[in-house]
């Protein structure tokens, strides 16, 4: 089982990074769009070759702008996914806490579990004295295939 946790401070930082990153990408896309719009025929001239170059430059600016806008969407989606994941984790933690609380309450009501927890139930026909072996007596540490052996 893996140990799962989250650090809300790091998630807040990620959220801020995503927002700031998206804003920067939007600023870049807007700037690129301004460059594309500035490529006007009156400045370039109306000759066929020059006009074709102007349109090609505009198209490359538009492609770049669209790329930055697309990246902005990805960054914003990432920030949203961080929020959704954190909320899902909180719900899971609350559900687990409720489950363990219910299980604990159910076990506390079970007479066999209560007796085992208090040490009163030492087994059928016993004299009330429990014999407990030490780990070294109950485990064969010389056999590397033995269950629980920590030797390799």
């Amino acid at each position: 089982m893996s140990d799962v946790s989250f650090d809300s401070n790091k998630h807040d930082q990620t959220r801020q990074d995503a927002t700031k990153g998206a804003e920067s990408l939007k600023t870049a896309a807007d700037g690129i769009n301004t460059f594309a719009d500035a490529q006007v025929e009156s400045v370039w001239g109306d000759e066929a070759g020059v006009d074709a170059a102007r349109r090609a430059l505009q198209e490359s600016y538009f492609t770049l702008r669209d790329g930055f806008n697309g990246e902005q969407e990805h960054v914003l989606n990432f920030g949203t996914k961080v929020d959704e994941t954190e909320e899902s984790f909180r719900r899971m933690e609350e559900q687990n806490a409720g489950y363990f609380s219910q299980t604990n309450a159910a076990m506390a009501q079970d007479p066999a579990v209560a007796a085992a927890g208090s040490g009163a139930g030492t087994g059928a026909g016993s004299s009330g004295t429990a014999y407990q072996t030490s780990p070294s007596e109950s485990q064969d540490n010389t056999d590397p295939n033995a269950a629980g052996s920590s030797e390799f």
Side-chain angles (χ1 to χ4, degrees), residues 1-5:
M1 180 196 266
S2 50
D3 181 20
V4 179
S5 65

Side-chain angles (χ1 to χ4, degrees), residues 39-52:
Q39 308 309 314
V40 293
E41 187 178 336
S42 63
V43 174
W44 279 75
D46 59 359
E47 296 172 3
V50 172
D51 189 52

Side-chain angles (χ1 to χ4, degrees), residues 39-124:
Q39 308 309 314
V40 293
E41 187 178 336
S42 63
V43 174
W44 279 75
D46 59 359
E47 296 172 3
V50 172
D51 189 52
R54 178 185 68 84
R55 289 178 189 270
L57 181 60
Q58 273 186 316
E59 284 303 313
S60 65
Y61 278 137
F62 291 146
T63 300
L64 193 56
R65 176 204 59 202
D66 294 345
F68 275 96
N69 282 331
E71 285 302 308
Q72 176 193 12
E73 288 296 317
H74 291 303
V75 169
L76 289 174
N77 287 340
F78 177 77
T80 300
K81 288 177 183 179
V82 168
D83 292 342
E84 291 170 354
T85 300
E86 186 174 2
E87 181 57 32
S88 176
F89 186 84
R90 286 180 207 261
R91 280 194 313 269
M92 181 188 68
E93 286 290 298
E94 290 171 3
Q95 290 171 349
N96 286 344
Y99 170 76
F100 288 126
S101 177
Q102 291 171 355
T103 302
N104 188 36
M107 288 175 64
Q109 293 176 359
D110 186 330
V113 173
S118 68
T122 58

Side-chain angles (χ1 to χ4, degrees), residues 3-61:
D3 181 20
V4 179
S5 65
F6 70 89
D7 182 339
S8 61
N9 291 330
K10 289 181 182 175
H11 285 212
D12 287 339
Q13 181 65 46
T14 301
R15 232 177 257 107
Q16 292 169 14
D17 289 347
T19 302
K20 288 178 183 177
E23 289 170 1
S24 295
L25 290 166
K26 173 78 169 119
T27 300
D30 290 346
I32 292 167
N33 197 54
T34 300
F35 281 132
D37 289 342
Q39 308 309 314
V40 293
E41 187 178 336
S42 63
V43 174
W44 279 75
D46 59 359
E47 296 172 3
V50 172
D51 189 52
R54 178 185 68 84
R55 289 178 189 270
L57 181 60
Q58 273 186 316
E59 284 303 313
S60 65
Y61 278 137

